[in-house]
Amino acid sequence: MKPYTFEKAANTDAALRSKNEKAQFIAGGTNLVDLLKKNIAQPDSLIDITSAVSSEIVLSKKNISIGGMVRNTVLTTDKNILQNVPLIAKAVLAGASPQIRNIASTAGNLLQRTRCVYFYDITMPCNKRNPGSGCSALKGENSMSALVGYNEQCVAVHPSDLCVALAALDAEVFATSENKKKIKIPFKDFHKLPENTPSLDNTLPQNALITHIEIPIEPFSKNFAYVKLRERTSYAFALVSVASALHLEGDKIIEARLASGGVAHKPWRWYEAENYLKGKKASAETFAKVASIATENIKTLSKNGYKIPMLKGAIETALQNSLKSIKSI
């Protein structure tokens, strides 16, 4: 591991003053420490921001604000989360181990890197790790790779469960830059597709610090579900995951939200499927149809075709489970 200096920032301004191209912020470190050990991340210095960023959850009439340093475990127990956006807690409980949830931060969860095997193998080409070197997974071991939004530059998927729920709930990311400029990024625009810059995971400016996330208060607190399919039932990243939320009047769907993990370089919203569901009767037939709509034009890679029936089933199951009013997580 490359030697580095370490400092603890007392506040946001101090953290931003210390930040430069050779420095990285660290919070829980649940992903960054792995990257340091593998020599994928090689900063000259680390800036501890655990005291510099809010760890509060604040409820207002219009939204719920989650500080960047709120630990993942808190998202599963906070009464304001459970009463207003319980899909968040459901998704977080599906990811990581209790030990990791206890230390991982909300902002850090947004910024975690892909778990593609070629990204972690520094002997293999990877455009995300070494731009211009090629994508080894494109014609290699791609059974866990993307179904949508990929290109020849990168077929990796984003690993977060929390981010899938945040995408479904139209969250917004708030940050501060080094000149104290306030930044607001709609969650749908925060993570990016590979395009010609697969090494960039998101649209956060280089020297900016995430301060908090806001989720609008909307009628999705009763009918929601998170389905995660993985290679083993213990701690593992999703092969396919689906977050669903329905606003119902009787059995009529007024509005629907549907997002997936394990299928793209970013949390993926199924907008066409959501539009189809509006005004429809909530039924097994409707859910089967919308699962077909979501998957009908997908072009698979050489080894991940099995994900199509898996994704169809996960969409149907999530929507069916959303019909059940869940009183506890």
Side-chain angles (χ1 to χ4, degrees):
M1 187 186 298
K2 176 184 174 180
Y4 54 83
T5 61
F6 181 87
E7 64 178 284
K8 190 175 181 68
N11 51 51
T12 300
D13 289 345
L16 289 169
R17 282 197 301 270
S18 298
K19 184 71 169 67
N20 56 57
E21 292 183 1
K22 297 294 185 178
Q24 285 190 247
F25 295 133
I26 185 168
T30 55
N31 184 204
L32 181 55
V33 170
D34 289 340
L35 299 177
L36 291 170
K37 290 177 179 179
K38 295 282 188 179
N39 283 312
I40 296 170
Q42 296 183 312
D44 288 343
S45 63
L46 291 180
I47 305 163
D48 183 341
I49 59 169
T50 53
S51 298
V53 179
S54 171
S55 59
E56 294 185 350
I57 296 175
V58 180
L59 178 67
S60 70
K61 290 183 179 180
K62 292 185 178 181
N63 58 57
I64 186 165
S65 174
I66 303 172
M69 268 310 305
V70 172
R71 305 292 184 175
N72 282 186
T73 292
V74 176
L75 294 175
T76 70
T77 60
D78 181 82
K79 66 177 182 179
N80 288 324
I81 296 288
L82 296 176
Q83 290 173 2
N84 296 280
V85 286
L87 177 59
I88 296 297
K90 191 77 171 178
V92 171
L93 285 170
S97 63
Q99 294 90 340
I100 291 176
R101 292 198 297 268
N102 285 342
I103 197 67
S105 68
T106 296
N109 194 300
L110 271 62
L111 298 173
Q112 63 182 301
R113 311 288 320 260
T114 183
R115 264 51 177 200
C116 176
V117 294
Y118 296 108
F119 176 73
Y120 276 86
D121 184 351
I122 61 174
T123 68
M124 298 295 291
C126 172
N127 284 325
K128 181 172 285 295
R129 177 172 28 81
N130 184 17
S133 63
C135 175
S136 295
L138 186 64
K139 295 183 179 179
E141 175 47 55
N142 53 39
S143 62
M144 296 184 69
S145 299
L147 290 174
V148 291
Y150 65 86
N151 61 16
E152 62 183 10
Q153 296 289 321
C154 183
V155 297
V157 296
H158 192 269
S160 171
D161 293 289
L162 169 60
C163 288
V164 179
L166 290 171
L169 295 174
D170 278 341
E172 292 181 316
V173 180
F174 289 79
T176 300
S177 68
E178 56 187 337
N179 57 6
K180 297 186 179 182
K181 180 181 178 182
K182 304 300 181 183
I183 301 166
K184 180 174 72 172
I185 307 173
F187 203 83
K188 65 182 180 64
D189 299 326
F190 183 78
H191 296 100
K192 61 182 292 298
L193 296 178
E195 301 166 332
N196 292 320
T197 53
S199 60
L200 299 179
D201 297 324
N202 56 68
T203 59
L204 186 71
Q206 183 178 5
N207 289 335
L209 179 61
I210 295 174
T211 56
H212 66 286
I213 298 161
E214 290 184 3
I215 307 171
I217 301 299
E218 294 181 306
F220 295 120
S221 61
K222 292 184 178 180
N223 300 103
F224 65 93
Y226 190 76
V227 171
K228 181 177 181 180
L229 304 177
R230 44 195 159 178
E231 289 184 325
R232 59 183 188 275
T233 55
S234 61
Y235 169 46
F237 298 103
L239 297 173
V240 165
S241 65
V242 176
S244 64
L246 299 175
H247 176 199
L248 299 172
E249 288 185 1
D251 62 357
K252 182 181 178 181
I253 301 171
I254 304 303
E255 188 175 1
R257 299 287 176 80
L258 202 60
S260 281
V263 301
H265 200 255
K266 61 184 289 184
W268 192 262
R269 277 282 292 272
W270 303 103
Y271 290 108
E272 185 179 355
E274 291 177 1
N275 289 332
Y276 174 83
L277 286 169
K278 289 181 182 179
K280 299 292 193 304
K281 179 181 178 181
S283 67
E285 293 76 15
T286 299
F287 298 156
K289 175 62 176 178
V290 83
S292 295
I293 289 173
T295 58
E296 62 184 351
N297 293 318
I298 290 177
K299 183 179 179 181
T300 64
L301 297 167
S302 59
K303 297 180 181 179
N304 69 352
Y306 73 95
K307 281 191 175 186
I308 298 295
M310 184 178 285
L311 177 59
K312 280 186 176 181
I315 290 173
E316 291 184 54
T317 300
L319 289 169
Q320 288 283 4
N321 289 349
S322 295
L323 299 181
K324 305 171 185 176
S325 181
I326 301 175
K327 295 182 180 179
S328 62
I329 301 300

